[in-house]
Every structure is written in C-alpha cells, then in structure tokens.
Amino acid sequence: MKRSLLLLVLFLLPAAAGAETIRLSLADAIARAVEKNLDLQVERYNPAQQEAEYQKNRGIYNPVITFVTNYNDSTNYSATLADNNYWTRTTQLNAGVSQLFASGATATLGFNNTYQNSDQGAMGTGMSSYWQSSLGLNLSQPLLKNFGREATELNIDAARLGKEASLEKLQGKLISTVASVRNEYYKLYSLREELEVRKVSLELARRVLQETQARVKAGVMPAMEILNAEFGMASREKELIDAERAVRDQVDVVVQLLQFQPGTALETLEVPSKGRYEVAEQAEIQRALANRPELKELKQNLALLELQTRVAGNRTKPDLLLTASAASGGLGTTYPQDMDRLSSTQYPTWGVGLTFSYPLGNRAAENEYRKNRLKVDQKALEIRNQEELIANEVRSAVRAVEANYKQLDVADRGRAFAEERLRAWARKAEVGLATTKDVLDVENDLAAAKNNQIKAQVAYVNAITQLWKVTGQILEKEQIRLNLPDPDQLYAEVR
C-alpha cells in the first residue's frame, strides 16, 4: 500500500506543479538564450565601455576655447617722481582657441585685450589710459620625438583595438552559450528518456512480483522468491525517485540558462540525430585557426603591442620642436582706435624657432622600447601556443565524433542482445529453469542497455557540438548572428 501511494505521488507531482508545460525546440532554446542569457547580457557591457574609452580618447581633437579676465590694481614707489609713488590699474579680457592635429602639432589662435589706466601720463610720462590689443597665431610642431599620427593617436588606437578584442570575447561567450544550450537541452532529453526506462523497469518488476506471489501460492515456487521480487521492486523504486530528481534538477538548469521563470515546466521536442557527420581533420583545423574568437582576440592584443612598440621607438629620438608665431598689434586711447590699428596690420610681429632637447643616456625611453619589444615576442609565442592548443582540441573533437558514431552501433546491438536475453530468461522462468532473481538481473541489464543507447545518442550529438565549438562554426551551423543589442547602441543609451 505504501509503495503504491509513493508511486502515485511520483507520477502526480509534475502535474501538481500546476505550471503550463513549454514545448521547446532546440532552435527556440538557442534563440531565447542569445536574447535573454545573463552571461551574454553582462559581457556586452565590455564593448560598450570600450566604445566610451574610444570616444573619450578622440576628445584630444576637440578644440579648446579659453577665456581669461583679470583686473590688477597696483601702487608702486618711484625714486624719480615728486610724490615718490604712482598707481596703475590694468584690466585684461583675452580669448583663445587651440587645436591639436594628427601630426602632433598644436595651433593656438589668441585675441588679447588690455586696458591700462595710470597716473604716470598726467605727470608727462605718457598716456594716462589706453587700450592695447593683439591677434596672433602660434604653432608648435614636434619634428622627431612624438611626430606623426601613430604617436598622437596612440590612446585612440589602443581603445579601438581594445574594443575589437572585447567584441571577439563577446563572440566567444556567444559560442560557449550556444554550445551549452545544445548540451543541456539534449541532457534534459536524455534524463527524461532514462526516467521512462525506469518507469518501464518498475512496472516489469511489479508484474514479476505479482506472478511470483501467484506461483508461491500455487506451490510451484518457494516463498524465498517473493523476497527477491520485493527487493527488485524496491531497488527500482529508488532508481525511479533518483531519475525524477535528476530531471527536475536539469529542468532548473535549462530554465536558468534560458531565463524562464523559476518553476517553469519544459519539454524537449527534438531527438538527437544519428546521421553520420563527415569530418576532415586538416580542414577543420584550418577552419578553427581562422574562426576562433580567442585567437582573434590575441592577435588584436598583438597589434596593440606592436603599435605601442613603434611609438616607444619613436620616443627614443631627440626632442626637436619647431615653433612659429605671427601676430598683429594695436594701441589707442579708445577701443575703436585700438581696433583700427590692429586691423590695419601695420604693426606685425612674427617669429620662428627650434628647440632641441635630449636626455643623456635616455634610459627611460630606451628601456620602455625594449620592454615593449619583449611583450611583442611574448605575445607572439602565446599566439603560437594557442594555435597548437586549438589544433589539439580539433583533433580530439574529430576523434570523439568518429568514436561516438561507432558507439551508436554498439549501443544498438547491446540493446537488441539484452532484449533477446530477457525473452530467453522469461521462457526459462515459465518452465521453472530460472529464478525470480535471474529474471530481474537480466531485466536490469536491459535497462542499462537502453540507458547506454540513450547516452550514446546524446554523446554523439555532444561530440558534434564540441567540434563546432572548437572550430568556431557553431553560430554558422545554428544560423545565429550576434543579435544582442548593439554595444554601440548600449553606449548611446547611457546619459
């Protein structure tokens, strides 16, 4: 009675959960994971942050506008004036704009206005008040050290390469997520099939117990056989409970992976394919070397190090700075008079010069260059090592596909043999040549053979999944594109 109640509870629990079962195809599962999976949502913030870093560094080309206003009031001692002192009041109103260029040059356009009022003019020393203005352009251009676009835009290019590397990392996360969905989806299928095997096995054990009880009652079997039948049934009840728990645990894994509501009931629709998948080892290796995102990410990092090395080499050069300036000045007792003289360009000022500097020994720059050279060599070795690891992964995956395909036939034959053995032992039991324990043992072998067949199917499709993953072609095979919200769009949405 207790056993019957337990079985009734086990079969009714899924229905009692009350949730509507979602019938899920593999394509739907993958599409939902791509859209909803939290790991992917987290990862896409990294390219968006790199976009912000890129835009921040592009700000070096933003023109800089400067406004300066200043008032100064001073009283000074004089040995030549009768009162021994004089006062001066100065007001400055200046404006300017500066611009950096890709060559490393900086140009500054300045408009300066000064109004001065003093008591010196009243004592015969000059104008007591006047406006003095100038409009001028200054240019500063490095000719050796820090010359050129690469030196000027080092941080911009670093941010750009960093963003490209983060996009490759996001692509790798997408590949891993799609592979995980395939594996977990088919694992859920496998566990449900194994649960059905356990149910059938328990039902057969129940029938064996009923038949054994009838034969013992008829006096054709000893009472000991009832204990063997009851033990076999209890063992299968335990296996059924374990299988039911495993299914529920796996449902939770898939629900979290696909971001369904907790407690959602899921049902898989697709059966693992048993068709032969043809592979060519060398072609798969070449495909992996061309597609693997982590290898592309390393190459982006190498490109950044090479750029930093070139700039570090440039900075070992002497610093030779060309400066040039040109201006027009004005002076007048009134501001219009001052502007008239300024615009007449009758009072030009210009100049040109060179500034040379070089630290003796130059150890800082030279060792920075050497350090970057070492980093480049180190990263090149890291890429080579990664390529060898990828090649080994592909070889292993190819062997796994071929081996698991062969296991399908072995598992099918094993199940057929186990079914025939059970029929044979059942006939023996009918004529008293086999005990209840013999029949239950053979039936247990059949259940194991059925489970081996299910596992072989899943292992084969998982091997194909792993091959697609290590060759970087799983997104193409599943016709998946990176349809997450564009990281640039995520960047633009932040205010």
Side-chain angles (χ1 to χ4, degrees), residues 208-365:
V208 170
L209 175 60
Q210 292 172 349
E211 292 173 1
T212 300
Q213 289 173 336
R215 291 181 180 182
V216 169
K217 186 176 181 179
V220 297
M221 293 185 74
M224 182 67 182
E225 293 300 314
I226 295 179
L227 292 177
N228 288 333
E230 288 179 335
F231 177 78
M233 185 171 175
S235 298
R236 284 154 179 76
E237 286 176 352
K238 176 186 179 303
E239 292 169 351
L240 179 62
I241 293 171
D242 290 341
E244 178 69 28
R245 178 178 60 83
V247 168
R248 292 182 180 180
D249 288 346
Q250 184 61 20
V251 168
D252 287 343
V253 171
V254 177
V255 163
Q256 192 278 331
L257 184 63
L258 305 186
Q259 286 299 292
F260 285 110
Q261 288 296 323
T264 301
L266 299 178
E267 179 183 346
T268 58
L269 298 180
E270 297 187 25
V271 176
S273 171
K274 298 175 68 174
R276 186 175 183 86
Y277 186 79
E278 299 291 342
V279 290
E281 185 177 284
Q282 287 304 314
E284 298 296 341
I285 290 175
Q286 293 303 316
R287 185 177 290 111
L289 295 178
N291 293 338
R292 285 284 286 268
E294 56 268 48
L295 189 58
K296 293 180 180 179
E297 182 183 354
L298 285 175
K299 290 180 178 179
Q300 294 289 351
N301 293 335
L302 176 61
L304 174 57
L305 287 173
E306 290 174 339
L307 170 63
Q308 291 172 334
T309 300
R310 291 194 298 271
V311 173
N314 171 270
R315 290 174 179 170
T316 62
K317 297 178 180 179
D319 195 354
L320 182 61
L321 187 66
L322 170 66
T323 58
S325 63
S328 177
L331 181 68
T333 56
T334 65
Y335 192 65
Q337 185 182 43
D338 177 35
M339 290 295 100
D340 286 342
R341 290 177 177 173
L342 176 67
S343 61
S344 70
T345 66
Q346 293 180 0
Y347 307 97
T349 302
W350 64 273
V352 64
L354 291 172
T355 302
F356 177 85
S357 65
Y358 187 74
L360 296 179
N362 202 23
R363 290 182 179 178

